């Protein structure tokens, strides 16, 4: 054998191993595509889940849903969400205004407005688990929170109607 000769048995073993890896990658890709297509079909049938996840993304860190199961692991079906706004807003307080006037506006700019009141969303999942999320009194959050509640309740209702035996 010469210096650059290869062992035919090793070469065929490497080729077989390469072919096997290629087949495994192709199978994994096919399974991912099937899973994505099934999820897309499910979302098409359940548009409230897409709205729920969109609102949850805007509210940062709120539970989303994947095929009717929340990211906290509880079923949406049979659940209910409720938005309670107890006059949540941002306001200037007398103390902050006076301190701002005394320091020619420096502390007013640093301190900003204070949160007043409170807004929360109470979520009761289908298994009875309860979560409460405080809504920031920012205008955008105050608009997105009712959207989240509406989407959650719509998804819970649709899932209950699809299979009323489990609700």
């Amino acid at each position: 054998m010469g210096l650059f000769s290869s062992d035919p048995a090793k070469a065929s073993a490497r080729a077989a191993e390469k072919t096997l890896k290629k087949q495994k990658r192709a199978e994994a890709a096919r399974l991912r595509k099937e899973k994505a297509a099934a999820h897309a079909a499910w979302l098409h049938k359940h548009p409230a889940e897409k709205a729920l996840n969109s609102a949850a993304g805007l509210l940062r860190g709120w539970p989303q849903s994947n095929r009717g199961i929340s990211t906290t692991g509880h079923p949406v079906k049979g659940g209910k969400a409720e938005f309670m706004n107890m006059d949540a807003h941002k306001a200037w307080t007398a103390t902050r205004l006076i301190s701002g006037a005394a320091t020619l506006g420096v502390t007013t700019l640093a301190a900003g407005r204070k949160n007043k009141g409170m807004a929360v969303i109470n979520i009761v999942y289908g298994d009875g688990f309860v979560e409460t999320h405080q809504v920031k009194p920012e205008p955008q959050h105050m608009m997105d929170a009712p959207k989240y509640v509406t989407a959650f309740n719509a998804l819970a209702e649709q899932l209950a109607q699809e299979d009323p035996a489990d609700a």
Side-chain angles (χ1 to χ4, degrees):
M1 279 199 175
L3 182 63
F4 296 104
S5 299
S6 65
D7 184 4
K10 285 183 182 179
S12 67
R14 279 193 304 269
E17 186 178 314
K18 190 175 182 180
T19 302
L20 184 61
K21 282 184 180 180
K22 190 174 183 179
Q23 288 172 346
K24 284 183 180 181
R25 281 194 304 269
E27 179 65 15
R30 185 187 62 76
L31 290 174
R32 278 193 306 273
K33 283 182 182 178
E34 284 179 8
K35 187 176 178 182
H39 186 67
W42 200 87
L43 283 176
H44 182 71
K45 188 176 175 186
H46 301 87
E49 182 170 276
K50 189 173 182 180
L52 174 73
N53 291 341
S54 176
L58 294 171
L59 293 166
R60 301 208 199 302
W62 286 41
Q64 296 186 355
S65 174
N66 184 4
R67 294 186 182 215
I69 303 296
S70 76
T71 51
T72 55
H74 302 284
V76 173
K77 183 169 94 176
K80 182 153 179 61
E82 174 181 45
F83 177 61
M84 297 181 350
N85 183 358
M86 294 158 272
D87 193 31
H89 64 284
K90 286 190 166 277
W92 294 104
T93 61
T95 307
R96 290 184 183 202
L97 288 173
I98 292 169
S99 67
T103 60
L104 301 174
V106 173
T107 56
T108 305
L109 290 175
R113 297 179 303 163
K114 185 175 182 178
N115 294 343
K116 297 288 212 164
M118 190 165 100
V120 296
I121 290 182
N122 292 321
I123 303 171
V124 180
Y125 291 100
D127 61 1
F129 185 79
V130 178
E131 282 184 342
T132 300
H133 296 276
Q134 189 166 355
V135 180
K136 293 179 184 177
E138 305 290 333
Q140 190 62 46
H141 286 257
M142 296 301 287
M143 288 188 320
D144 293 334
K147 292 176 188 175
Y148 182 89
V149 169
T150 302
F152 184 94
N153 290 334
L155 180 60
E157 180 65 28
Q158 182 180 7
L159 293 172
Q161 287 178 358
E162 287 176 358
D163 190 9
D166 295 337

